[in-house]
Amino acid sequence: MDRRSLIRGAAALGAAGVAGLSAPRAAQAAGPAGMPTYTYLRDALRLPLSYNPTGEFIFPCIRGVYDKISGARGRYYLYYAPHEKPGGICVAWANSLAGPFTENPGNPVIDNVLPSTTVSHVSSPHVTWIPESRQFYLYYHGENTTTRVARSSDGLTFRDETPILSTRLVPGLTETSYARVFAHSGRYVMVYMGVLGGKRHIYHGWSPNGWDQWQFAQSPLVSPAPDRLTDISGPSLVVRNGTTYVAYHGNDGKMRITEVGNNFDRENHLGVFYSPGAADNGRAAAPSFGTDGGVQYMFYEAGPRLSARICIARAA
């Protein structure tokens, strides 16, 4: 069964309600899909850090918490992690998306010794606010074959770690990681990286509540070949122009956007929306978007994978 049939049979997903990128000012629409022009602003984190076991950090996730919890350390929480062993899910905070961010002295908030098992590393944090339960759900991988979820009422103390996706659920895949989850038409949609035939693709799944009852499409949502790449990863869902897109990075160090449609039944590759600048040291990856005071920001990995930093770019 192909992807289109799978989606029609399991879930017809619409566009309303996605926590994605919006376009407050039409003048910013400069790139494919009307994506704004982003310019490097600064590194997100002040060095040295108290928790920095490997000298590299990946997969930023920015979340506004000021309207969700009382006693927050800042208006915005930035989640990130090293990837190399032992990894560790980390948090920093600031009162503006322009940063810089202050490291949580209690990092990591999740380490590789989990309640159910010990893994070589945990990484790629993505946090979604679930209004139905009034909790933050944190999605992350450890090992690369398994995506997990934990939950928290304050965004800092997570519990109830449980696996929700592994390679056994999508035959043919050798990795299932780098997941992000977004509210989408009354459901929660996951986009993640799956390795098929030694190449990285973007896959997706869906759940009624973001915690359990997950279903996963058995074929890729976005493939690298139309971009003339071998690998794509770091997906993020974007809703604008009345339709749905996936933003992601490729093995050439550039970030691209592809329309998948409100029913996740298209694959319209639209091209590069961000090429690495001088501060990015040849690579930009894993975008996470936010808006503060009507200004759009993008948090992303910059630099070679084994020495990546977390950077902030601002829309022109």
Side-chain angles (χ1 to χ4, degrees):
M1 185 180 295
D2 63 16
R3 179 177 72 239
R4 193 168 302 183
S5 298
L6 275 164
I7 300 306
R8 287 173 178 164
L13 299 175
V18 171
L21 179 66
S22 60
R25 295 197 295 264
Q28 294 179 352
M35 292 289 281
T37 299
Y38 289 102
T39 303
Y40 169 84
L41 179 63
R42 62 163 50 96
D43 281 26
L45 301 169
R46 295 188 181 101
L47 299 178
L49 298 174
S50 62
Y51 185 76
N52 190 4
T54 61
E56 45 85 31
F57 296 105
I58 67 166
F59 214 81
C61 173
I62 189 67
R63 284 292 169 260
V65 298
Y66 55 89
D67 57 346
K68 299 175 178 63
I69 55 176
S70 60
R73 308 293 179 86
R75 289 173 58 83
Y76 299 97
Y77 282 5
L78 171 64
Y79 298 86
Y80 63 96
H83 186 270
E84 293 301 289
K85 302 174 184 178
I89 308 304
C90 298
V91 185
W93 46 72
N95 286 322
S96 168
L97 289 186
F101 283 71
T102 299
E103 179 190 18
N104 170 30
N107 283 338
V109 296
I110 295 179
D111 62 25
N112 65 322
V113 181
L114 302 171
S116 62
T117 187
T118 296
V119 294
S120 68
H121 73 287
V122 291
S123 193
S124 70
H126 179 82
V127 171
T128 300
W129 171 252
I130 308 295
E132 296 87 350
S133 65
R134 295 200 57 79
Q135 294 183 95
F136 298 96
Y137 288 5
L138 167 60
Y139 305 89
Y140 59 101
H141 77 257
E143 309 290 353
N144 290 339
T145 56
T146 304
T147 291
R148 304 171 184 275
V149 65
R151 52 191 168 193
S152 170
S153 297
D154 64 4
L156 297 175
T157 305
F158 289 88
R159 65 188 190 283
D160 303 330
E161 169 269 328
T162 184
I164 53 175
L165 169 63
S166 71
T167 51
R168 67 180 178 81
L169 297 178
V170 187
L173 297 188
T174 56
E175 292 186 28
T176 48
S177 53
Y178 301 102
R180 296 190 191 272
V181 173
F182 300 85
H184 197 284
S185 189
R187 303 174 187 265
Y188 292 89
V189 174
M190 175 190 294
V191 286
Y192 69 96
M193 182 207 75
V195 176
L196 178 67
K199 297 181 179 181
R200 295 181 168 194
H201 299 64
I202 306 302
Y203 282 76
H204 82 298
W206 54 92
S207 161
N209 56 26
W211 184 261
D212 57 14
Q213 302 176 61
W214 284 97
Q215 299 181 64
F216 297 99
Q218 302 294 295
S219 57
L221 181 65
V222 185
S223 296
D227 292 325
R228 299 183 179 180
L229 299 170
T230 58
D231 297 286
I232 55 176
S233 187
S236 192
L237 211 62
V238 173
V239 170
R240 56 191 301 132
N241 311 321
T243 188
T244 303
Y245 306 87
V246 178
Y248 53 92
H249 68 264
N251 57 280
D252 62 352
K254 299 176 182 180
M255 291 194 282
R256 290 172 167 79
I257 190 164
T258 288
E259 183 188 9
V260 296
N262 296 333
N263 292 324
F264 295 81
D265 57 359
R266 304 178 194 172
E267 188 177 349
N268 182 18
H269 290 248
L270 299 175
V272 174
F273 75 89
Y274 185 86
S275 294
D280 299 329
N281 199 15
R283 177 178 176 270
S288 179
F289 303 101
T291 302
D292 184 8
V295 179
Q296 296 180 78
Y297 292 85
M298 178 177 69
F299 289 71
Y300 64 102
E301 298 171 26
R305 179 187 169 282
L306 297 183
S307 59
R309 304 132 45 217
I310 303 301
C311 292
I312 307 171
R314 184 166 55 196

